[in-house]
Amino acid sequence: MRLLTFLLLFLIGNFGFAQVQIVAEQDQDRNLTLLAFNNAEIPYTIRIDFLKLENLESFDGRVIYAVAYPGKTNLVKLRSIYVNDKTGFNYITKLYKGNYEPSVLEIPDYLLPVQEGTILSMRPLTSKSSQNQKNSESEVYTGVGFFFENPTIICAPRKGIISEIKMNSEETPSGISDFDSENYVEIYHLDGSFSRLSGLMPNSTKLTVGEVVFPGQAIGESSYALKEEMHHVKMIQSRWKMDDFGIIWVNFPVPIFASQQEVRSDEINTALKSTHPTDLILMEMDKKERKKYLSN
């Protein structure tokens, strides 16, 4: 069947490395298929809002969410109503980093994101959120802080792909809740979630965006301690969540393996010891990765 390229649209996200192209192809029956070409290493979610459909119909509705996986992806098909009539359409788009669809993968415990053998304490971090219906503020879970006496190597808590890096800030954070001025490494996991390790030493990583990392692998170094705090690193797990108004970005607590037991990131714990069990490291690896890891 002959295909005719109809439209090429570049979508640039809020991340310098991210670029997704949308191409509309028309067949001999005047049906249109929107295709995405994603040159990043992780998927991107695209919201497509059709403002006008002329002699075209979308079985998925006027507003759709579709995932552009690395490479080429079919997003949506628009069917022509009358073959001999003119077709046309107009739409706006919005790009979101990651996959908004939750995966059914079994999620393993996260490792403590520090060098094996490190003794530390942990406590949940919260931020204030306005409650419009009550005209008040409440504390909302943001992530977890890990505190230790000496500088240490920061490690990946799970297997994933490096999705973003900031390493050029020389500023000293003004407090434990100061995220904006900190250096971080962000990891995208196959279940659609992200882990951000924040508060790292400037230029302490040799990783690059798109690189695959494994549980326990070094990704950076902890930064200098604040006057009122011990050395620390923050870990934030986030993902997209669909609600009645679209998709929203949420932070959520996770199970963590520490001191031969499972703890939760929204709990306070003291005197925990970081261990990197081989079974947890291997859990998300494929056969080739396991073979390579066990042979080293």
Side-chain angles (χ1 to χ4, degrees):
M1 182 177 292
R2 185 175 62 89
L3 293 177
L4 171 66
T5 301
F6 186 80
L7 174 69
L8 176 63
L9 173 65
F10 289 87
L11 293 178
I12 306 298
N14 294 325
F15 316 97
F17 64 89
Q19 179 174 290
V20 176
Q21 302 173 2
I22 290 183
V23 176
E25 291 185 335
Q26 187 177 58
D27 64 26
Q28 62 187 11
D29 295 322
R30 292 184 178 272
N31 299 317
L32 286 173
T33 300
L34 296 188
L35 309 172
F37 292 88
N38 177 6
N39 64 8
E41 300 295 331
I42 68 170
Y44 276 76
T45 294
I46 304 174
R47 173 188 162 120
I48 303 176
D49 189 352
F50 291 105
L51 304 178
K52 182 187 74 170
L53 289 175
E54 181 181 353
N55 190 33
L56 291 169
E57 59 181 348
S58 167
F59 292 159
D60 297 316
R62 289 277 182 148
V63 177
I64 69 168
Y65 289 87
V67 179
Y69 295 95
K72 176 183 175 181
T73 305
N74 287 5
L75 299 177
V76 63
K77 187 170 185 177
L78 304 175
R79 298 187 182 275
S80 175
I81 301 172
Y82 303 106
V83 176
N84 296 323
D85 288 355
K86 177 183 176 182
T87 60
F89 67 99
N90 187 20
Y91 64 91
I92 57 176
T93 59
K94 190 170 183 179
L95 189 66
Y96 304 87
K97 180 175 61 174
N99 187 342
Y100 82 103
E101 298 176 313
S103 171
V104 295
L105 290 175
E106 180 182 356
I107 300 177
D109 285 349
Y110 288 68
L111 297 183
L112 287 171
V114 292
Q115 185 173 336
E116 193 167 21
T118 302
I119 305 298
L120 53 77
S121 63
M122 58 179 277
R123 71 169 187 261
L125 306 175
T126 59
S127 59
K128 290 184 177 181
S129 175
S130 297
Q131 302 293 322
N132 294 330
Q133 66 274 23
K134 298 180 181 180
N135 195 26
S136 61
E137 290 187 336
S138 63
E139 295 293 325
V140 176
Y141 175 85
T142 300
V144 57
F146 302 99
F147 304 89
F148 31 89
E149 291 186 358
N150 300 307
T152 189
I153 300 298
I154 305 303
C155 304
R158 279 182 58 196
K159 176 186 173 180
I161 300 170
I162 301 299
S163 53
E164 192 173 346
I165 295 175
K166 176 186 174 184
M167 275 287 156
N168 58 1
S169 176
E170 299 287 346
E171 296 182 30
T172 301
S174 60
I176 191 61
S177 296
D178 180 10
F179 296 96
D180 294 336
S181 63
E182 293 188 343
N183 299 304
Y184 59 81
V185 172
E186 183 184 76
I187 303 170
Y188 175 77
H189 306 296
L190 293 181
D191 62 355
S193 64
F194 292 84
S195 291
R196 175 173 290 199
L197 285 305
S198 178
L200 305 183
M201 181 76 72
N203 303 312
S204 63
T205 187
K206 297 180 180 179
L207 300 171
T208 58
V209 170
E211 188 172 345
V212 176
V213 293
F214 299 101
Q217 181 177 336
I219 62 170
E221 300 175 25
S222 61
S223 61
Y224 299 112
L226 302 173
K227 293 181 180 180
E228 67 274 17
E229 298 283 358
M230 300 174 67
H231 291 272
H232 70 275
V233 66
K234 297 172 225 178
M235 186 173 76
I236 306 165
Q237 270 71 39
S238 308
R239 72 178 318 134
W240 294 108
K241 178 182 178 181
M242 181 67 73
D243 70 1
D244 294 337
F245 302 99
I247 60 174
I248 57 174
W249 187 249
V250 296
N251 300 328
F252 59 94
V254 296
I256 298 174
F257 185 84
S259 299
Q260 305 304 314
Q261 62 179 320
E262 182 183 280
V263 299
R264 286 186 58 83
S265 62
D266 55 355
E267 300 172 344
I268 296 176
N269 282 279
T270 59
L272 297 175
K273 184 177 181 179
S274 173
T275 58
H276 298 169
T278 300
D279 58 337
L280 281 182
I281 294 175
L282 297 177
M283 186 170 292
E284 292 186 278
M285 291 184 180
D286 59 32
K287 291 183 179 180
K288 185 177 180 180
E289 292 165 344
R290 291 192 192 103
K291 182 178 180 180
K292 182 178 179 180
Y293 178 83
L294 293 174
S295 65
N296 292 336

